[in-house]
Amino acid sequence: MTSLDATVSPAEARTAIRRGDWPTTTTGIANGYAQANLVIIPENHAADFLRFCLANRAACPVLDVSEPGSFHPQVLGEAIDLRTDVPRYRVYEDGELVDEPADLVSRWRQDLVTFSLGCSFSFEESLLAEGVPVRHMAARTIVPMYRTTIPLIPAGPFHGSYVVSMRAMSPADAIRAIQITTDMPSVHGAPLHLARPELIGIDDIHQPDFGDAPVMEAGDIPVFWACGVTPQIALMNARLPFAMAHAPGHMLITDIPNHRLKYR
């Protein structure tokens, strides 16, 4: 398997992923560049989903919307293929997960619209630059993600509750993290909640719904951000006949520098 790390370019990373040489998480790869969550749906549902994203921007910050049938995003970079440049995808039928393929070439349709949404991997780089440890990155695990009871604003058939990602931090680091991520609304912005996970419907912090078990040190508190898995829950609730997305932790690496996403 090709070795990808923080120093590779986005184009090099996408080439390796397209060849099938990197089937795992994209965390810590091509530092300095934004990664994106994907939601791929038929055009007749795209207007409703765009309204859903605008109403729930913390969970669904839109970076790009493709033309119907196009598998090339409009503003995310050169020579990106939305069908092949993510390590693992998800396929939904009638709201049920039916497959997790390595590419979408055989499933692509001319009526599909792709929404590329901002990802927390961008603000993690800013946290590290400011000396705030990101424990799952050091451990090379996927960030833990949890379903919550925080309601979303519905639009058309899309509805549900937030999914959050969690990073364990000291209280002092949590304060600094809030300050840093508040300036980055295009990649989820400030946390939604911290400490006391039971208040947002999380029964056992050591048993995430997605990703890996949390990495925590003595004195840490959990800090929760809106997560790009949220729209997948909304997809499942909408029970569309057909929809696709990225697999959690397996993102599209774009050519957009992270610093361009501040204050947007």
Side-chain angles (χ1 to χ4, degrees), residues 126-211:
S126 294
L127 295 179
L128 291 172
E130 294 290 332
V132 177
V134 181
R135 308 213 190 283
H136 72 273
M137 292 184 70
R140 295 292 296 176
T141 59
I142 298 174
V143 66
M145 295 162 273
Y146 308 83
R147 297 174 185 259
T148 75
T149 54
I150 304 171
L152 295 158
I153 298 172
F158 302 103
H159 66 282
S161 298
Y162 277 86
V163 174
V164 293
S165 59
M166 190 280 283
R167 291 152 191 84
M169 301 176 178
S170 70
D173 285 338
I175 292 171
R176 185 68 186 122
I178 292 168
Q179 295 169 332
I180 293 166
T181 58
T182 295
D183 292 340
M184 304 183 76
S186 290
V187 288
H188 300 308
L192 296 181
H193 186 75
L194 71 165
R196 301 195 64 185
E198 71 277 4
L199 295 182
I200 57 172
I202 299 172
D203 295 326
D204 185 352
I205 200 170
H206 297 288
Q207 297 291 328
D209 295 294
F210 310 97

